[in-house]
Amino acid sequence: MSRPAGWVPAFWLDIFDELLYDDNELDYGDEWNLNFNYTQTDEITKEQRKRGWKVYSHCAFGKFQCGACHKTWRSARAVVLFRYRVRNGRGTVIMRPFGQACRQCQDGAFDLPGFTRKEVEHALLRLFSKIRKNCYGEEESDEASSTSSAKVWTKPHEAALCEACRLGICCLEDE
């Protein structure tokens, strides 16, 4: 499937497993899993930090579809947030996608983005690079930081319609 059709957690899970187990992206003998939490934020308490939790926010190119009027739009600022840690041989990643509201409906509902396989792979490879650095002490590779998607800003970002902007964690600083 090359075109995003909307938020599909199984798509992320499949690619996560492929990269982990077929490509050995985190080859340290720990068992990793990916979960979803649609309310988590980028804030970590002192207690969570002591227990090893880290946060990584990624800005990707996504496609949105309004649940009410079915209008579709693309955005180069589709935000996904990852919380991760490794403990006792088990690695956990908790992911949250952030939605955008439809400009036409303005009903306050946030629709979650769909992503292409390339965008999902890119986001997960960046995440794995952060995990290798922060959980296993590896240097972050130049390759990981230089593989960023070529961003083309076609329209101004509408912060009022962006869930991540409302929470202060959108990727506006990328400009």
Side-chain angles (χ1 to χ4, degrees):
M1 175 179 202
S2 62
R3 291 179 39 179
W7 175 242
V8 183
F11 190 51
W12 284 81
L13 289 166
D14 289 347
I15 296 172
F16 183 86
D17 285 346
E18 278 175 35
L19 292 173
L20 260 183
Y21 301 111
D22 297 347
D23 298 349
N24 297 314
E25 282 295 328
L26 295 176
D27 199 14
Y28 294 92
D30 296 317
E31 183 182 321
W32 282 85
N33 62 43
L34 174 62
N35 299 297
F36 302 92
N37 175 329
Y38 299 97
T39 59
Q40 77 178 352
T41 67
D42 64 336
E43 294 187 19
I44 295 184
T45 65
K46 204 175 206 178
E47 189 56 39
Q48 290 169 326
R49 198 172 299 283
K50 278 187 200 169
R51 288 184 275 151
W53 287 104
K54 311 257 190 284
V55 169
Y56 167 55
S57 179
H58 182 79
C59 192
F61 189 83
K63 183 178 180 183
F64 296 83
Q65 181 169 19
C66 177
C69 74
H70 304 293
K71 175 186 182 340
T72 61
W73 66 96
R74 296 178 185 281
S75 174
R77 292 193 179 116
V79 177
V80 290
L81 182 72
F82 299 101
R83 186 178 291 240
Y84 61 92
R85 76 170 181 186
V86 63
R87 195 174 193 181
N88 302 325
R90 297 186 60 85
T92 303
V93 174
I94 303 171
M95 178 186 169
R96 177 186 179 180
F98 287 89
Q100 292 184 4
C102 177
R103 184 188 316 132
Q104 193 167 294
C105 291
Q106 297 205 3
D107 60 0
F110 291 113
D111 299 292
L112 297 178
F115 297 94
T116 63
R117 178 179 186 87
K118 181 180 173 188
E119 285 291 335
V120 172
E121 285 178 355
H122 174 65
L124 291 174
L125 288 171
R126 291 287 296 132
L127 169 68
F128 292 155
S129 176
K130 298 287 184 193
I131 289 171
R132 284 193 299 271
K133 177 185 175 195
N134 295 319
C135 295
Y136 299 110
E138 265 191 33
E139 290 294 316
E140 201 165 1
S141 67
D142 290 339
E143 176 188 313
S145 52
S146 67
T147 58
S148 63
S149 302
K151 299 283 189 235
V152 179
W153 309 122
T154 53
K155 296 178 184 170
H157 184 59
E158 296 187 47
L161 302 177
C162 175
E163 184 179 23
C165 280
R166 288 193 185 177
L167 294 171
I169 59 173
C170 194
C171 32
L172 289 172
E173 67 277 1
D174 289 352
E175 286 185 339

